[in-house]
Structure formats: C-alpha cells, structure tokens
Amino acid sequence: MAYVTDHNDPRSRAVVVPHYSSLNFINPNFPLNYHPQGLVPLGFALNPAVVAQIELYRSISLQQLINDEGLVPSQEEEQRRNVVIWKLKVIVMEWIKNVACLRRLPENHIRAASATILTYGSYGLGVHNAESDIDALCVGPWFASLTEHFFIVLHDMLAKRVEVSDIHCVKDAKVPLMRFKFEGISIDLPYAQLKVATVPENVDILNSMFLNGIDETSWKSLSGVRANNSILQLVPDIKIFQELLRCVKLWAKRRGVYGNLFGFFGGVHLAVLSAFICQRNPNVKLIVLVSIFFKTFAFWPWPTPVILQGSMLPRHHPETRSPMPIQLPCSHEYCHSNITTSTFLKIRYEFRRGYRHIQDLLKAQFNWRNLFEPYPYAKNYQNFLKITLSTCKEDELADWVGWVKSRFRSLLVKLEELHASCDPNPTEYSDTSLQDPNVVFYWGLIVSKSDDVDLDLVQKEFKKNLGTGFKGPTGKITISIIQTSQLPKNLQHVDTHLVLSNPTQLVPTYLGFGGGPGHPSVGFIS
C-alpha cells in the first residue's frame, strides 16, 4: 500500500491506495526523465481519484470478460445441476436400502440405512461453468462394498434409468469410479466406504470420527472432498476466492499449463494457490489479487512448498521431490503432481509472462485479453511429437485414452533423459484419415541439434509401461515426430479474437539440461 495526495487540492489529506510500484506505475528502475504513457516518475504522487477510476474500469472489463467466456453458469444451468445432484441422492438412498436387504440386515437397520452424494472439484468449489463435468462422490456405510455393490448393484440401477447414458466403470484408475452422463451432464462418481452403519446426508468428512478404519481406496476417494471443504473453510471470503480461481483457471487453460496428467497443474493445485493469495490479502479487490497472484508465483522460491495458513504441518515424504510442492490443506500430504523439469519451466515462464502483462494494469493500452491469449503452439515450435491412440471399437477408446494419459509422465521423463524437452498440449484432436476411432495429441518438441530422439526406444519403453496394470482392451499407440507444416489446420489457426495487434511472441529455445529446477538450463525466452 502507499500514501498519496491529490496535488490539485492543497488541503487534501494523504490516503491509502494499493501500492502499484511493482506494476511499473511507479518503478524505481526507470530513469526519472522517462515518461511513457501511463507512468508517473518517482517522487510524484498519484491522484487517488484517478486510480479509483482506473480500478473501476479494469474491474468492469474483467467482469465482462468473465461473462463473455461463460465462466459463470446461468440460473437455469445452475438449477439443472442441482436437480441432477438431488436425483442422484434419491437413487443412492434407494440403492443403499436395496443393499441392506441383500445383506439381510435387521428391519430396523434397513429403515435407518442411508448413503449420500458429496460434490467436489470445480462444482464443489462453485467455479464451474455450463460445460463443466460434475465430480461427485458416493459415500456409503460399512455393508456396501465397492466391487460387489457399487460397481454391480448401483451400476445396474443407473443403467436402467432413462436419464443415464454412456455409463461405464473405470476400475483400474488410482481412484476407481463410474463415469456416465445424467441428463446430458458428465458425471465422475467414485465411492468411499465408511465404517459406520449410516451416513448422514451432509456428513462432515473432515470429522476424524468418520475416517477411522477406512481402506486406502476410500481414503483416496475422499481426498477431493476433504480438500475442497478445507479450502472453503480457510479462505477469508469465498466469493472473492471463487472469482480469483475462475480467472486463474482460464489463464492456465489458455496458456497450456492446465492438466495434471500432462505434467501441469490440476484443479486442486490452482485452488490452493488462489486460496494462498486470498489468505495473505484479505479485503482486496479482484484485480489487485490477480496482480498479486502473478507477482507472488513469478518469483516464488521453488521448491519451497506452498502451505495454507491453518493447514496441518506437512511430513517429509517422496512427494516433496516435486519441483513445485503444494500441500493439501486437509492432511500432512502434498497434492499429487506429475510436474517434470520441462513442464516446470513452462509453468514458471507462464507465471512470469503473466506478471509482465499485469504490470501494465494502469496503462491506457492494458487489455485483459492479452493475459488470457491462447498459447500459440504452431508459432512457437518447429517440431511436434504426434501421439496417436486408437481402438477398434468406439466404446473402448475412452478407457484406453484415459489409461495412456495416466502414464504420460513416464513418457515425458524418458524424453528428458534423451535430451528432448516437450510442451504437452492437453487438447485432444482426431485424425479423420484413420478409420478406427482415435484421439491424437500434438506436443511441442524441442531437441538439440546434436542428438536425435530415438523414437523406437521411446515407443518400446512406453508401450512396456502401458502393458503393466491395464485390464481393459488394449488399443494401439503410434508416436512420431512431425513438423509444424504437418499439423492439422485447426491447430495451426490462432484464435485471433483474443490476440492483440502486437502480441508478445514467446520463442521456446532448447538450451540443454542442467541441474534440475533450482538451476534449470531449459528455458523459454522472449
């Protein structure tokens, strides 16, 4: 914060306004005779009325962008999702009483039997939009098992409903779940089995009483709900936290640093980072929080962990080897992370790019859309790693793609061992020239001039990794290196409605690998 006076009024008193020296409005690094538009030389005070007017205009324009991008669902869409959750709860209550009958429990136990649905992820945090999936957790009592009652009895009940389509079980995931559409809304539904006789509708999953004796699978299934609830309890203002998180998620998706399976941030990582900024800066406007967010993490001394105030003290365990450790607020553990050396450097660069753009916040030419400009993969890379996944049957493709994506980190690490750096574009494409159902990924590839990537070795080792643990029908995978000119036209096209007339060009350059995140030697330079 800074004390400033209105020089147009000699009787005015000094007032407190946000300190914008870090945003280049008053920057001690500039010479005193340097007066570009929007800068005031050091030693001159700001007119608080002008600052307030600019802040108001920036706030309105940011809110307009949030609305234009559809980040906030309409009341009708919100009601639609509420109805879906209510219907799921009714189905689950019917299911658990059926299971109690199958288990031949006493009549009074059958009447008292209950289970519930808890939401988490973007929907649970209140930052979903009309296109978001719903992450919902089914929580049941001791007598309802995962394999026999959840994946069979509940699955069959859902499959018979006219509202339900595309239902299938994902049993091989770290968190086993059912995936389906309910009235057109995609639902991911894992299961947690508590060692209690009945589960209250709004069970407090942070209460240790409900966690005694549960198995590891149930513990993993509960982690998302527990993290969400903890974050919402720890932030000083839920609404401002939600607004900041919406902006941060839009930035991460547009700039290609969102997707935990691809070595980038997952939703829980961004939620903790946003909550961290909100805790440190209560009663601050959204536009200032966005500025502080990028300033904080552009220069964060990684691998120092990010830990929310009021969280449990972390224990040392293997996850602390992550280059960007972020603690789960509800436990002693850190958020699961697939970040590698190359993806760490991409994330750090994007933080610093965001910081550079947000420094212009009080300049006349500032535009929020520049911050959220889509990452121009086709402009930034000469070579791409093309990963083609296919199956003979359409209904087998989703499971195969999901399994391969869960193993992408090993592919990234292997490429880094061969002195190649990848920028994994999380977007899924389709190759229309292939007859089989398929999904294609195009990753920006940076290789040294002296070394060529041994693709045969890469494919052989990655296929070996894929063959371990997968129980579903195995599909095909082909990995090749292509040039930018061979990309599909929709990937070469830049979304020009978000690009300014003179956008900053980000030119990725391979410089070789060095001593890890603390002393990186792979960089992205402008």
Side-chain angles (χ1 to χ4, degrees):
M1 308 297 287
Y3 289 91
V4 299
T5 59
D6 184 353
H7 285 294
N8 295 322
D9 183 1
R11 296 171 299 174
S12 67
R13 299 176 61 185
V15 296
V16 178
V17 299
H19 192 288
Y20 287 102
S21 61
S22 62
L23 304 179
N24 268 359
F25 195 82
I26 299 179
N27 192 331
N29 295 324
F30 283 88
L32 293 182
N33 61 354
Y34 181 64
H35 298 270
Q37 184 178 13
L39 293 181
V40 176
L42 187 65
F44 285 75
L46 302 178
N47 184 330
V50 172
V51 172
Q53 187 175 13
I54 295 174
E55 279 189 339
L56 177 61
Y57 177 74
R58 295 288 180 254
S59 296
I60 293 173
S61 60
L62 179 57
Q63 191 61 53
Q64 184 63 51
L65 184 144
I66 290 173
N67 293 335
D68 291 346
E69 296 299 331
L71 301 185
V72 181
S74 65
Q75 290 184 356
E76 294 77 12
E77 182 63 33
E78 189 70 15
Q79 180 63 24
R80 180 183 170 216
R81 289 169 182 269
N82 289 339
V83 170
V84 166
I85 295 300
W86 176 79
K87 287 184 176 180
L88 276 176
K89 287 186 176 182
V90 172
I91 294 171
V92 163
M93 282 296 291
E94 181 184 352
W95 163 73
I96 201 60
K97 292 186 182 299
N98 289 345
V99 172
C101 290
L102 289 173
R103 295 293 301 268
R104 298 181 179 180
L105 298 183
E107 188 65 30
N108 62 324
H109 287 195
I110 294 175
R111 288 195 302 269
S114 67
T116 192
I117 294 289
L118 302 176
T119 59
Y120 62 105
S122 61
Y123 184 81
L125 288 173
V127 293
H128 58 288
N129 57 39
E131 299 178 357
S132 299
D133 299 344
I134 294 180
D135 292 308
L137 173 68
C138 178
V139 186
W142 67 269
F143 56 84
S145 69
L146 173 70
T147 55
E148 183 179 354
H149 302 116
F150 179 76
F151 277 133
I152 297 178
V153 180
L154 182 57
H155 172 273
D156 292 346
M157 289 179 64
L158 288 170
K160 293 176 182 178
R161 302 281 299 209
V162 295
E163 308 100 315
V164 175
S165 61
D166 302 333
I167 186 169
H168 64 283
C169 300
V170 185
K171 300 179 181 180
D172 299 319
K174 291 182 179 179
V175 178
L177 53 83
M178 278 193 286
R179 183 167 287 151
F180 54 92
K181 290 184 178 179
F182 199 107
E183 296 184 352
I185 298 176
S186 296
I187 309 286
D188 280 355
L189 186 69
Y191 177 65
Q193 180 184 17
L194 305 185
K195 299 299 183 180
V196 296
T198 183
V199 178
E201 180 181 1
N202 296 315
V203 55
D204 180 10
I205 218 65
L206 295 177
N207 188 332
S208 58
M209 178 186 71
F210 292 103
L211 305 178
N212 293 330
I214 65 173
D215 56 55
E216 184 178 356
T217 299
S218 295
W219 180 263
K220 290 179 180 178
S221 298
L222 288 166
S223 64
V225 177
R226 285 170 50 78
N228 271 29
N229 292 356
S230 295
I231 290 170
L232 293 177
Q233 287 184 10
L234 293 173
V235 294
D237 186 322
I238 292 178
K239 183 178 179 180
I240 195 70
F241 160 74
Q242 291 170 333
E243 291 176 346
L244 176 61
L245 182 54
R246 285 193 187 99
C247 294
V248 169
K249 287 186 70 173
L250 178 63
W251 162 79
K253 291 179 178 180
R254 286 283 168 80
R255 299 307 299 174
V257 291
Y258 186 84
N260 186 44
L261 295 179
F262 295 85
F264 295 116
F265 288 134
V268 66
H269 301 100
L270 297 180
V272 174
L273 295 184
S274 299
F276 182 82
I277 297 301
C278 290
Q279 278 193 331
R280 286 191 162 193
N281 304 275
N283 305 316
V284 174
K285 296 178 181 179
L286 175 61
I287 61 169
V288 181
L289 283 178
V290 174
S291 303
I292 295 172
F293 177 88
F294 285 105
K295 179 182 178 182
T296 299
F297 296 115
F299 303 104
W300 187 262
W302 305 106
T304 301
V306 175
I307 302 174
L308 294 181
Q309 298 173 12
S311 298
M312 301 179 184
L313 292 177
R315 295 171 180 166
H316 181 78
H317 63 90
E319 185 60 32
T320 58
R321 291 199 298 265
S322 169
M324 306 184 94
I326 299 170
Q327 190 202 354
L328 278 170
C330 56
S331 72
H332 300 285
E333 301 175 350
Y334 292 87
C335 302
H336 175 73
S337 173
N338 288 316
I339 295 174
T340 69
T341 302
S342 53
T343 57
F344 165 81
L345 293 164
K346 168 74 180 292
I347 293 171
R348 191 181 64 173
Y349 180 84
E350 287 301 326
F351 274 138
R352 295 183 178 181
R353 173 194 175 273
Y355 173 67
R356 289 201 304 272
H357 285 299
I358 211 68
Q359 284 182 307
D360 296 337
L361 186 64
L362 298 184
K363 292 183 181 179
Q365 69 269 27
F366 177 82
N367 190 322
W368 285 109
R369 295 189 180 276
N370 198 23
L371 177 67
F372 301 107
E373 175 188 343
Y375 188 81
Y377 291 96
K379 288 188 176 182
N380 285 358
Y381 299 101
Q382 296 179 350
N383 299 297
F384 283 81
L385 195 73
K386 180 181 179 181
I387 305 170
T388 305
L389 308 176
S390 62
T391 54
C392 296
K393 299 179 180 179
E394 182 72 38
D395 59 0
E396 296 175 353
L397 183 61
D399 287 348
W400 174 238
V401 172
W403 175 255
V404 176
K405 286 165 63 175
S406 71
R407 294 294 187 267
F408 269 162
R409 189 182 190 280
S410 66
L411 178 59
L412 285 167
V413 171
K414 183 59 183 179
L415 288 164
E416 290 175 1
E417 291 175 355
L418 298 176
H419 303 285
S421 176
C422 265
D423 181 0
N425 180 357
T427 306
E428 298 182 3
Y429 300 87
S430 179
D431 190 340
T432 57
S433 66
L434 298 179
Q435 292 183 347
D436 289 338
N438 67 87
V439 166
V440 183
F441 296 96
Y442 297 95
W443 294 1
L445 180 65
I446 306 171
V447 294
S448 64
K449 296 180 179 179
S450 57
D451 294 320
D452 293 325
V453 176
D454 187 347
L455 274 186
D456 290 337
L457 176 62
V458 171
Q459 285 199 100
K460 180 180 179 181
E461 294 203 4
F462 189 51
K463 286 181 179 180
K464 182 179 179 180
N465 183 287
L466 293 175
T468 305
F470 186 57
K471 298 177 182 179
T474 303
K476 298 178 182 178
I477 177 170
T478 303
I479 302 176
S480 59
I481 296 177
I482 65 172
Q483 295 182 337
T484 305
S485 59
Q486 297 172 279
L487 291 173
K489 291 183 179 179
N490 59 343
L491 184 54
Q492 294 187 38
H493 174 71
V494 177
D495 194 357
T496 54
H497 85 281
L498 283 178
V499 181
L500 300 182
S501 58
N502 184 27
T504 302
Q505 295 299 313
L506 309 179
V507 183
T509 304
Y510 179 83
L511 302 174
F513 281 83
H519 302 85
S521 52
V522 177
F524 296 81
I525 62 175
S526 59

Short mmCIF file of all heavy atoms in Angstrom, two decimals, residues 429-469:
data_model
loop_
_atom_site.label_atom_id
_atom_site.label_comp_id
_atom_site.label_asym_id
_atom_site.label_seq_id
_atom_site.Cartn_x
_atom_site.Cartn_y
_atom_site.Cartn_z
N TYR A 429 -7.28 -34.12 -30.22
CA TYR A 429 -7.68 -33.96 -31.61
C TYR A 429 -8.05 -35.33 -32.18
O TYR A 429 -7.84 -36.36 -31.56
CB TYR A 429 -6.54 -33.33 -32.43
CG TYR A 429 -6.13 -31.96 -31.93
CD1 TYR A 429 -5.17 -31.82 -30.93
CD2 TYR A 429 -6.71 -30.81 -32.45
CE1 TYR A 429 -4.80 -30.57 -30.46
CE2 TYR A 429 -6.34 -29.55 -31.99
CZ TYR A 429 -5.39 -29.44 -31.00
OH TYR A 429 -5.03 -28.20 -30.54
N SER A 430 -8.55 -35.34 -33.40
CA SER A 430 -8.92 -36.58 -34.07
C SER A 430 -8.35 -36.57 -35.48
O SER A 430 -8.39 -35.53 -36.16
CB SER A 430 -10.43 -36.75 -34.12
OG SER A 430 -10.79 -37.95 -34.78
N ASP A 431 -7.79 -37.69 -35.90
CA ASP A 431 -7.25 -37.83 -37.25
C ASP A 431 -8.33 -38.45 -38.13
O ASP A 431 -8.60 -39.65 -38.06
CB ASP A 431 -6.00 -38.72 -37.21
CG ASP A 431 -5.24 -38.72 -38.54
OD1 ASP A 431 -5.87 -38.37 -39.57
OD2 ASP A 431 -4.05 -39.07 -38.56
N THR A 432 -8.95 -37.62 -38.97
CA THR A 432 -10.06 -38.09 -39.81
C THR A 432 -9.61 -39.02 -40.92
O THR A 432 -10.44 -39.67 -41.55
CB THR A 432 -10.79 -36.89 -40.42
OG1 THR A 432 -9.86 -36.09 -41.17
CG2 THR A 432 -11.43 -36.03 -39.33
N SER A 433 -8.30 -39.11 -41.16
CA SER A 433 -7.81 -40.01 -42.21
C SER A 433 -7.78 -41.46 -41.75
O SER A 433 -7.60 -42.37 -42.56
CB SER A 433 -6.42 -39.58 -42.67
OG SER A 433 -5.46 -39.74 -41.63
N LEU A 434 -7.92 -41.68 -40.42
CA LEU A 434 -7.91 -43.03 -39.88
C LEU A 434 -9.33 -43.58 -39.77
O LEU A 434 -10.26 -42.84 -39.43
CB LEU A 434 -7.25 -43.05 -38.50
CG LEU A 434 -5.78 -42.61 -38.43
CD1 LEU A 434 -5.29 -42.66 -36.98
CD2 LEU A 434 -4.91 -43.48 -39.31
N GLN A 435 -9.50 -44.85 -40.06
CA GLN A 435 -10.81 -45.47 -39.98
C GLN A 435 -11.21 -45.78 -38.54
O GLN A 435 -12.38 -45.64 -38.17
CB GLN A 435 -10.84 -46.76 -40.82
CG GLN A 435 -10.72 -46.53 -42.32
CD GLN A 435 -10.83 -47.83 -43.11
OE1 GLN A 435 -10.75 -48.91 -42.53
NE2 GLN A 435 -11.02 -47.71 -44.42
N ASP A 436 -10.25 -46.21 -37.74
CA ASP A 436 -10.56 -46.57 -36.35
C ASP A 436 -10.82 -45.33 -35.51
O ASP A 436 -10.23 -44.26 -35.76
CB ASP A 436 -9.39 -47.36 -35.74
CG ASP A 436 -9.27 -48.75 -36.33
OD1 ASP A 436 -10.27 -49.25 -36.86
OD2 ASP A 436 -8.16 -49.33 -36.25
N PRO A 437 -11.68 -45.42 -34.49
CA PRO A 437 -11.86 -44.32 -33.55
C PRO A 437 -10.51 -43.95 -32.93
O PRO A 437 -9.74 -44.85 -32.53
CB PRO A 437 -12.81 -44.90 -32.49
CG PRO A 437 -13.50 -46.02 -33.18
CD PRO A 437 -12.52 -46.59 -34.15
N ASN A 438 -10.21 -42.68 -32.85
CA ASN A 438 -8.87 -42.29 -32.39
C ASN A 438 -8.87 -40.94 -31.70
O ASN A 438 -9.79 -40.13 -31.86
CB ASN A 438 -7.89 -42.26 -33.58
CG ASN A 438 -8.22 -41.16 -34.57
OD1 ASN A 438 -7.79 -40.02 -34.43
ND2 ASN A 438 -9.02 -41.51 -35.59
N VAL A 439 -7.83 -40.73 -30.92
CA VAL A 439 -7.52 -39.44 -30.29
C VAL A 439 -6.05 -39.16 -30.55
O VAL A 439 -5.20 -40.06 -30.43
CB VAL A 439 -7.80 -39.47 -28.77
CG1 VAL A 439 -7.17 -38.26 -28.09
CG2 VAL A 439 -9.30 -39.49 -28.51
N VAL A 440 -5.74 -37.92 -30.92
CA VAL A 440 -4.37 -37.54 -31.25
C VAL A 440 -3.94 -36.36 -30.39
O VAL A 440 -4.71 -35.42 -30.16
CB VAL A 440 -4.23 -37.17 -32.74
CG1 VAL A 440 -2.78 -36.84 -33.08
CG2 VAL A 440 -4.76 -38.30 -33.63
N PHE A 441 -2.71 -36.44 -29.89
CA PHE A 441 -2.11 -35.34 -29.15
C PHE A 441 -0.92 -34.80 -29.94
O PHE A 441 -0.17 -35.57 -30.55
CB PHE A 441 -1.63 -35.80 -27.77
CG PHE A 441 -2.73 -36.25 -26.86
CD1 PHE A 441 -3.06 -37.60 -26.75
CD2 PHE A 441 -3.46 -35.34 -26.11
CE1 PHE A 441 -4.07 -38.03 -25.92
CE2 PHE A 441 -4.49 -35.76 -25.28
CZ PHE A 441 -4.79 -37.11 -25.18
N TYR A 442 -0.74 -33.48 -29.90
CA TYR A 442 0.41 -32.84 -30.54
C TYR A 442 1.17 -32.06 -29.48
O TYR A 442 0.66 -31.07 -28.94
CB TYR A 442 -0.05 -31.91 -31.66
CG TYR A 442 -0.75 -32.61 -32.79
CD1 TYR A 442 -2.14 -32.70 -32.82
CD2 TYR A 442 -0.04 -33.17 -33.84
CE1 TYR A 442 -2.80 -33.35 -33.86
CE2 TYR A 442 -0.68 -33.82 -34.89
CZ TYR A 442 -2.06 -33.91 -34.88
OH TYR A 442 -2.71 -34.55 -35.91
N TRP A 443 2.37 -32.52 -29.15
CA TRP A 443 3.19 -31.88 -28.14
C TRP A 443 4.33 -31.11 -28.80
O TRP A 443 5.05 -31.65 -29.65
CB TRP A 443 3.80 -32.93 -27.21
CG TRP A 443 2.82 -33.66 -26.36
CD1 TRP A 443 1.46 -33.52 -26.34
CD2 TRP A 443 3.12 -34.66 -25.37
NE1 TRP A 443 0.90 -34.36 -25.42
CE2 TRP A 443 1.89 -35.07 -24.80
CE3 TRP A 443 4.30 -35.24 -24.92
CZ2 TRP A 443 1.82 -36.04 -23.80
CZ3 TRP A 443 4.23 -36.21 -23.92
CH2 TRP A 443 3.00 -36.59 -23.37
N GLY A 444 4.49 -29.86 -28.37
CA GLY A 444 5.64 -29.10 -28.83
C GLY A 444 6.93 -29.81 -28.43
O GLY A 444 7.07 -30.22 -27.28
N LEU A 445 7.85 -29.94 -29.37
CA LEU A 445 9.07 -30.71 -29.12
C LEU A 445 10.30 -29.86 -29.38
O LEU A 445 10.42 -29.21 -30.43
CB LEU A 445 9.10 -31.95 -30.02
CG LEU A 445 10.31 -32.88 -29.89
CD1 LEU A 445 10.33 -33.54 -28.50
CD2 LEU A 445 10.29 -33.95 -30.98
N ILE A 446 11.21 -29.88 -28.42
CA ILE A 446 12.47 -29.16 -28.56
C ILE A 446 13.60 -30.18 -28.42
O ILE A 446 13.72 -30.84 -27.39
CB ILE A 446 12.64 -28.07 -27.48
CG1 ILE A 446 11.43 -27.13 -27.47
CG2 ILE A 446 13.91 -27.27 -27.71
CD1 ILE A 446 11.42 -26.18 -26.31
N VAL A 447 14.41 -30.33 -29.47
CA VAL A 447 15.51 -31.29 -29.44
C VAL A 447 16.80 -30.55 -29.74
O VAL A 447 16.82 -29.54 -30.44
CB VAL A 447 15.30 -32.43 -30.47
CG1 VAL A 447 14.10 -33.26 -30.08
CG2 VAL A 447 15.13 -31.88 -31.86
N SER A 448 17.90 -31.07 -29.22
CA SER A 448 19.19 -30.47 -29.50
C SER A 448 19.61 -30.81 -30.93
O SER A 448 19.17 -31.79 -31.51
CB SER A 448 20.24 -31.01 -28.52
OG SER A 448 20.41 -32.39 -28.70
N LYS A 449 20.44 -29.99 -31.50
CA LYS A 449 20.88 -30.22 -32.88
C LYS A 449 21.80 -31.44 -32.98
O LYS A 449 21.85 -32.09 -34.01
CB LYS A 449 21.61 -28.98 -33.40
CG LYS A 449 20.70 -27.75 -33.50
CD LYS A 449 21.47 -26.54 -34.01
CE LYS A 449 20.56 -25.33 -34.12
NZ LYS A 449 21.28 -24.13 -34.58
N SER A 450 22.50 -31.73 -31.92
CA SER A 450 23.49 -32.81 -31.97
C SER A 450 22.88 -34.19 -31.72
O SER A 450 23.45 -35.20 -32.10
CB SER A 450 24.59 -32.56 -30.94
OG SER A 450 24.02 -32.43 -29.65
N ASP A 451 21.73 -34.22 -31.07
CA ASP A 451 21.12 -35.51 -30.71
C ASP A 451 19.74 -35.65 -31.34
O ASP A 451 18.94 -34.72 -31.31
CB ASP A 451 20.98 -35.63 -29.18
CG ASP A 451 22.33 -35.69 -28.49
OD1 ASP A 451 23.23 -36.35 -29.02
OD2 ASP A 451 22.45 -35.07 -27.44
N ASP A 452 19.47 -36.77 -31.91
CA ASP A 452 18.14 -37.10 -32.41
C ASP A 452 17.46 -38.02 -31.42
O ASP A 452 18.10 -38.88 -30.81
CB ASP A 452 18.22 -37.78 -33.77
CG ASP A 452 18.74 -36.85 -34.85
OD1 ASP A 452 18.44 -35.65 -34.78
OD2 ASP A 452 19.45 -37.33 -35.74
N VAL A 453 16.16 -37.84 -31.27
CA VAL A 453 15.41 -38.70 -30.35
C VAL A 453 15.24 -40.08 -30.97
O VAL A 453 14.81 -40.21 -32.11
CB VAL A 453 14.03 -38.08 -30.05
CG1 VAL A 453 13.21 -39.02 -29.16
CG2 VAL A 453 14.19 -36.73 -29.37
N ASP A 454 15.61 -41.11 -30.22
CA ASP A 454 15.43 -42.49 -30.67
C ASP A 454 13.98 -42.89 -30.42
O ASP A 454 13.64 -43.40 -29.35
CB ASP A 454 16.41 -43.40 -29.91
CG ASP A 454 16.39 -44.82 -30.45
OD1 ASP A 454 15.47 -45.16 -31.23
OD2 ASP A 454 17.30 -45.60 -30.09
N LEU A 455 13.12 -42.65 -31.42
CA LEU A 455 11.69 -42.91 -31.24
C LEU A 455 11.40 -44.39 -31.02
O LEU A 455 10.46 -44.74 -30.31
CB LEU A 455 10.91 -42.40 -32.44
CG LEU A 455 10.49 -40.93 -32.41
CD1 LEU A 455 9.59 -40.62 -33.59
CD2 LEU A 455 9.78 -40.59 -31.11
N ASP A 456 12.16 -45.25 -31.66
CA ASP A 456 11.94 -46.69 -31.47
C ASP A 456 12.12 -47.06 -30.00
O ASP A 456 11.33 -47.83 -29.43
CB ASP A 456 12.91 -47.50 -32.34
CG ASP A 456 12.58 -47.39 -33.82
OD1 ASP A 456 11.41 -47.08 -34.13
OD2 ASP A 456 13.49 -47.59 -34.65
N LEU A 457 13.17 -46.52 -29.38
CA LEU A 457 13.42 -46.79 -27.97
C LEU A 457 12.32 -46.19 -27.10
O LEU A 457 11.83 -46.82 -26.16
CB LEU A 457 14.78 -46.22 -27.56
CG LEU A 457 15.15 -46.33 -26.07
CD1 LEU A 457 15.23 -47.79 -25.66
CD2 LEU A 457 16.46 -45.61 -25.79
N VAL A 458 11.91 -44.96 -27.43
CA VAL A 458 10.85 -44.29 -26.66
C VAL A 458 9.56 -45.09 -26.71
O VAL A 458 8.92 -45.35 -25.69
CB VAL A 458 10.63 -42.86 -27.19
CG1 VAL A 458 9.39 -42.24 -26.56
CG2 VAL A 458 11.85 -41.99 -26.92
N GLN A 459 9.16 -45.50 -27.92
CA GLN A 459 7.92 -46.26 -28.06
C GLN A 459 7.99 -47.60 -27.35
O GLN A 459 7.03 -48.03 -26.69
CB GLN A 459 7.60 -46.48 -29.55
CG GLN A 459 7.07 -45.27 -30.26
CD GLN A 459 6.36 -45.64 -31.55
OE1 GLN A 459 5.14 -45.70 -31.58
NE2 GLN A 459 7.12 -45.89 -32.60
N LYS A 460 9.13 -48.28 -27.48
CA LYS A 460 9.28 -49.59 -26.87
C LYS A 460 9.12 -49.52 -25.36
O LYS A 460 8.39 -50.31 -24.75
CB LYS A 460 10.64 -50.18 -27.25
CG LYS A 460 10.90 -51.56 -26.67
CD LYS A 460 12.27 -52.09 -27.09
CE LYS A 460 12.54 -53.46 -26.49
NZ LYS A 460 13.89 -53.98 -26.88
N GLU A 461 9.80 -48.55 -24.74
CA GLU A 461 9.75 -48.45 -23.28
C GLU A 461 8.39 -47.96 -22.81
O GLU A 461 7.89 -48.39 -21.76
CB GLU A 461 10.88 -47.55 -22.79
CG GLU A 461 12.27 -48.11 -23.04
CD GLU A 461 13.30 -47.52 -22.11
OE1 GLU A 461 12.93 -46.74 -21.23
OE2 GLU A 461 14.49 -47.86 -22.29
N PHE A 462 7.79 -47.05 -23.58
CA PHE A 462 6.48 -46.54 -23.16
C PHE A 462 5.41 -47.62 -23.29
O PHE A 462 4.55 -47.76 -22.43
CB PHE A 462 6.11 -45.30 -23.97
CG PHE A 462 4.88 -44.59 -23.45
CD1 PHE A 462 4.77 -44.25 -22.12
CD2 PHE A 462 3.83 -44.28 -24.30
CE1 PHE A 462 3.64 -43.60 -21.63
CE2 PHE A 462 2.70 -43.63 -23.83
CZ PHE A 462 2.61 -43.29 -22.49
N LYS A 463 5.46 -48.40 -24.35
CA LYS A 463 4.50 -49.49 -24.51
C LYS A 463 4.67 -50.52 -23.40
O LYS A 463 3.69 -51.11 -22.92
CB LYS A 463 4.68 -50.15 -25.88
CG LYS A 463 4.15 -49.32 -27.04
CD LYS A 463 4.34 -50.04 -28.37
CE LYS A 463 3.78 -49.22 -29.52
NZ LYS A 463 3.96 -49.90 -30.82
N LYS A 464 5.90 -50.76 -22.98
CA LYS A 464 6.15 -51.68 -21.87
C LYS A 464 5.50 -51.16 -20.60
O LYS A 464 4.91 -51.91 -19.82
CB LYS A 464 7.66 -51.86 -21.68
CG LYS A 464 8.03 -52.85 -20.59
CD LYS A 464 9.54 -52.99 -20.49
CE LYS A 464 9.93 -53.97 -19.38
NZ LYS A 464 11.40 -54.11 -19.27
N ASN A 465 5.61 -49.85 -20.40
CA ASN A 465 4.99 -49.23 -19.23
C ASN A 465 3.47 -49.35 -19.30
O ASN A 465 2.81 -49.60 -18.28
CB ASN A 465 5.41 -47.75 -19.15
CG ASN A 465 4.88 -47.05 -17.92
OD1 ASN A 465 3.69 -46.77 -17.83
ND2 ASN A 465 5.76 -46.73 -16.99
N LEU A 466 2.90 -49.18 -20.49
CA LEU A 466 1.45 -49.26 -20.65
C LEU A 466 0.91 -50.66 -20.43
O LEU A 466 -0.25 -50.84 -20.06
CB LEU A 466 1.06 -48.79 -22.06
CG LEU A 466 1.28 -47.32 -22.39
CD1 LEU A 466 0.95 -47.06 -23.85
CD2 LEU A 466 0.44 -46.44 -21.49
N GLY A 467 1.74 -51.66 -20.64
CA GLY A 467 1.29 -53.04 -20.52
C GLY A 467 1.18 -53.53 -19.11
O GLY A 467 0.73 -54.65 -18.87
N THR A 468 1.59 -52.71 -18.14
CA THR A 468 1.57 -53.13 -16.74
C THR A 468 0.36 -52.55 -16.02
O THR A 468 0.26 -51.33 -15.87
CB THR A 468 2.86 -52.67 -16.02
OG1 THR A 468 4.00 -53.17 -16.73
CG2 THR A 468 2.88 -53.17 -14.59
N GLY A 469 -0.57 -53.40 -15.63
CA GLY A 469 -1.68 -52.96 -14.79
C GLY A 469 -3.00 -52.72 -15.48
O GLY A 469 -4.03 -52.65 -14.82
#
